[in-house]
Amino acid sequence: MLSAHFPFSGSDPDELCTHILAGKVSFSDKFWKDVSKDAIDLVIKMLDANPKTRISASKALEHKWFNILKSTECSEECDDKVDKSVLEMLMDYKCESLFKKSTLYLLVKMVKGEGFCKLKKEFKKMDLNKDGMISFDELKSAYVQAGIKVSDKDINSLIAKLDFVGNQKVNYTEFLVATIDRTTIKKPDLIKDLFKQFDRNRNDTIEQEDIVRELQTLGRKVTKSELSGIMKHYDKSGKGRIEYPVFEAMIMG
């Protein structure tokens, strides 16, 4: 597990068995160069062929490598306060139009997991009951712990801005839409791929039924009024469709 490589080697099964029985361990630099000296020391002691001198399970757990590991885990767990800059980004998030918010939501889902480690940790700190959602109480608690004064009205307003699905909570993707570096998703190839996802008929335009369908896949029903507003804003040709240059400009803007 430490090196993704077995500690014993051999050109054939017989030679391998001979090395195992003799306790001849191989720590090739190619596979073990990034493993600490303390970890290697523990492995050597556990693989001692002599049962009388081999380290016991209880003594192994007292080895200094485990103490280093525990110390690292503790420092991460004990730092349970949410990064103040993340909370400020959430509060500064500008409410996008429904259509733009949906495209950002989809783009984040397309790239989610690529370099979002820090933001994922911050989300987990806020998600106190570990249900994958940030509730009103959890969001307010994060601000209180960070020493940022907010009213109930502020929290409700923030949730309303972030909540794309419409369940009065904030899921991980909604959280990312407000906090990621937008340059991560504002990439021509990604935007083109997303346009194609809407344009199932391959006629180089997005029509009303395309918007309804894609938003429904995200669990968001679109009202006639909302759909009318989207087309009024983004249908520059007046032909009931959204063309790629307008779509790209909306996301890049």
Side-chain angles (χ1 to χ4, degrees), residues 101-204:
K101 192 184 287 188
S102 70
T103 59
L104 294 175
Y105 191 96
L106 284 163
L107 282 170
V108 166
K109 288 177 78 69
M110 289 168 71
V111 298
K112 194 159 58 176
E114 296 180 13
F116 296 154
C117 183
K118 182 182 183 300
L119 290 174
K120 190 173 185 177
K121 285 180 181 177
E122 298 304 316
F123 180 85
K124 285 182 175 180
K125 289 179 190 177
M126 300 172 77
D127 179 21
L128 299 176
N129 67 357
K130 309 303 177 189
D131 67 347
M133 301 278 183
I134 299 173
S135 66
F136 174 95
D137 291 335
E138 289 170 333
L139 190 55
K140 186 171 183 180
S141 175
Y143 278 93
V144 171
Q145 278 195 328
I148 301 175
K149 290 185 178 180
V150 288
S151 65
D152 287 359
K153 185 178 179 181
D154 292 330
I155 297 297
N156 279 321
S157 175
L158 178 54
I159 290 176
K161 286 195 298 181
L162 299 172
D163 178 22
F164 170 74
V165 176
N167 59 359
Q168 284 84 55
K169 293 184 179 182
V170 181
N171 65 34
Y172 180 51
T173 304
E174 292 164 340
F175 171 80
L176 286 178
V177 167
T179 55
I180 62 167
D181 178 354
R182 289 291 174 90
T183 59
T184 307
I185 57 177
K186 289 183 176 182
K187 297 178 178 179
D189 289 344
L190 273 177
I191 296 172
K192 286 176 183 176
D193 287 343
L194 180 58
F195 186 83
K196 289 177 183 176
Q197 186 170 320
F198 275 93
D199 178 26
R200 297 284 179 88
N201 294 326
R202 296 294 182 263
N203 57 7
D204 296 325

Side-chain angles (χ1 to χ4, degrees), residues 1-10 16 19-20 23-28 31-32 40 43-44 46-47:
M1 290 175 67
L2 291 170
S3 66
H5 192 72
F6 292 115
F8 299 100
S9 62
L16 177 61
H19 288 169
I20 292 173
K24 189 176 180 180
V25 186
S26 173
F27 292 103
S28 167
F31 302 107
W32 291 83
I40 292 174
V43 171
I44 290 171
M46 290 192 296
L47 293 176

Side-chain angles (χ1 to χ4, degrees), residues 99 198 206-224 227 230:
F99 187 47
F198 275 93
I206 296 174
E207 301 175 354
Q208 293 188 42
E209 55 266 34
D210 297 322
I211 296 171
V212 173
R213 183 194 62 249
E214 290 304 317
L215 268 65
Q216 280 181 340
T217 64
L218 298 173
R220 179 66 159 83
K221 290 185 178 181
V222 189
T223 66
K224 288 183 178 180
L227 189 57
I230 290 171

Side-chain angles (χ1 to χ4, degrees), residues 100 186 191 234 236 243-253:
K100 183 172 181 178
K186 289 183 176 182
I191 296 172
Y234 297 107
K236 302 301 182 181
E243 297 173 342
Y244 182 75
V246 176
F247 182 81
E248 182 183 36
M250 174 193 71
I251 294 174
M252 297 298 288

